[in-house]
Amino acid sequence: MKIGFIGLGNMGSPMAANLVAAGHDVTGFDLVTDCPTGVLKAATAVEAALAADVVITMLPNGAILRAVAADIIPAMSKGAAFVDCSTVDVESARAVADDAVGAGLLAVDAPVSGGIGGASAGTLTFMAGGSDAAFAKAQPLFDIMGQKAVHCGPSGNGQAAKICNNMILGATMIATCEAFALADKLGLERQSMFDVVSTSSGYSWTMNAYCPAPGIGPQSPADNDYKPGFASELMLKDLRLSQQAAETVDADTPMGKRATELYTSFVEDEGGLGSDFSAMLPRFEKKGRG
Ligand code: NAD
């Protein structure tokens, strides 16, 4: 396929490289970064999108996505697919999809989980929203860039799935970290805490697969001085998107709200910027109830 790839940052660059390695013809554009080897460099986003069968975007936020979409949708060939893999607000995802479909294109919102490691290894999970035809057109590319793609329903539902998942993740990480810090103060060894919880009803992905305590459980960013991994500011971005969405539809999300508040303080005032989101554990260690 002829693929246009716009946004070649930490995630987009290895994703585009995997498409090239699978034999696709990829033309890329980024305002700042260079194209990875094998990706033909376009001078503008429109040039990358012209004549493409599929355009993939991997951009920082909804405002930038809307601006790029407004530029490229009129330039794309009818029947081509606009596949946005960025994490953005549900409203922007739906607005861009409406514009694309209105212009005779197929549209998929397909945010990912799996991080930079998953993007490089081609093992991302895609959560996709859009018509059956749009999903079918994008699926062979999801199979190259990832190990799993779930069609979650119409446009915007991929973003909805992503922020609901990450709202659970943020709240669960906080719950796991505060429980470790309490256990420390009660004199319970961390290894004992892990051995019990990881095989009891408090188990979770954050405990079992990504344990925030260094030296305990499988390898995780905690074992590498809390270098991300999944940075706290990216978790905060997703939590904020969850609260923005909850406000739009009047959903009561008290745990998501509190998680957003805690990650806001952590990132903005408590030195969490640039640390993995599991660095909430040393943050709790230092704090008392006051
Ligand atoms: P990044 O900042 O490394 O990459 C974004 C790229 O977009 C940058 O290279 C930037 O120059 C480019 N860009 C910005 N405006 C542009 C424009 N108008 N035209 C062309 N290029 C433009 O970010 P990233 O880590 O690659 O993340 C991309 C998206 O994926 C984000 O929405 C993020 O939330 C999501 N995501 C990231 C991770 C992760 O672990 N990094 C995991 C899952 C999802």
Side-chain angles (χ1 to χ4, degrees):
M1 275 194 225
K2 262 181 85 62
I3 299 168
F5 207 116
I6 300 169
L8 296 161
N10 290 319
M11 296 291 289
S13 184
M15 290 164 73
N18 283 334
L19 294 172
V20 170
H24 290 290
D25 173 1
V26 185
T27 303
F29 175 71
D30 191 291
L31 282 181
V32 177
T33 63
D34 273 334
C35 290
T37 310
V39 174
L40 194 68
K41 190 177 164 78
T44 61
V46 168
E47 190 182 304
L50 274 175
D53 303 304
V54 176
V55 173
I56 300 175
T57 46
M58 195 53 172
L59 296 163
N61 60 48
I64 293 174
L65 170 67
R66 284 178 191 247
V68 169
D71 280 349
I72 66 171
I73 286 173
M76 288 174 64
S77 320
K78 293 234 176 322
F82 187 133
V83 181
D84 176 46
C85 294
S86 330
T87 303
V88 303
D89 56 289
V90 177
E91 270 184 297
S92 293
R94 291 195 170 137
V96 164
D98 280 352
D99 288 351
V101 170
L105 306 176
L106 298 165
V108 190
D109 56 291
V112 303
S113 75
I116 299 165
S120 300
T123 56
L124 294 169
T125 295
F126 290 84
M127 296 145 253
S131 66
D132 289 343
F135 182 73
K137 179 130 182 176
Q139 196 166 21
L141 304 182
F142 296 153
D143 290 344
I144 294 164
M145 297 183 287
Q147 62 185 357
K148 189 170 180 187
V150 181
H151 188 193
C152 301
S155 292
N157 283 21
Q159 298 295 347
K162 166 89 186 175
I163 57 175
C164 288
N165 180 74
N166 280 17
M167 190 174 78
I168 295 171
L169 178 62
T172 310
M173 180 55 84
I174 289 167
T176 303
C177 291
E178 71 181 24
F180 262 120
L182 171 61
D184 289 346
K185 290 187 179 178
L186 294 173
L188 178 61
E189 292 284 336
R190 287 183 169 182
Q191 187 64 52
S192 308
M193 168 82 175
F194 177 82
D195 290 346
V196 171
V197 175
S198 65
T199 54
S200 301
S201 47
Y203 85 107
S204 65
W205 185 84
T206 58
M207 176 60 85
N208 292 40
Y210 204 92
C211 182
I216 310 286
Q219 273 293 118
S220 71
D223 301 307
N224 190 25
D225 209 17
Y226 295 101
K227 290 197 182 68
F230 186 41
S232 297
E233 59 270 26
L234 288 177
M235 171 48 78
L236 177 58
K237 171 189 172 181
D238 293 356
L239 285 167
R240 284 179 168 155
L241 289 174
S242 77
Q243 296 312 289
Q244 189 182 337
E247 255 169 50
T248 314
V249 296
D250 190 28
D252 187 23
T253 55
M255 304 296 283
K257 180 166 182 274
R258 188 70 188 117
T260 309
E261 289 164 0
L262 285 164
Y263 273 103
T264 301
S265 314
F266 187 50
V267 168
E268 292 182 356
D269 307 320
E270 296 167 349
L273 183 71
S275 298
D276 189 73
F277 81 122
S278 59
M280 269 285 167
L281 175 52
R283 180 232 178 243
F284 276 111
E285 270 168 40
K286 287 183 221 125
K287 282 185 89 85
R289 289 181 75 76

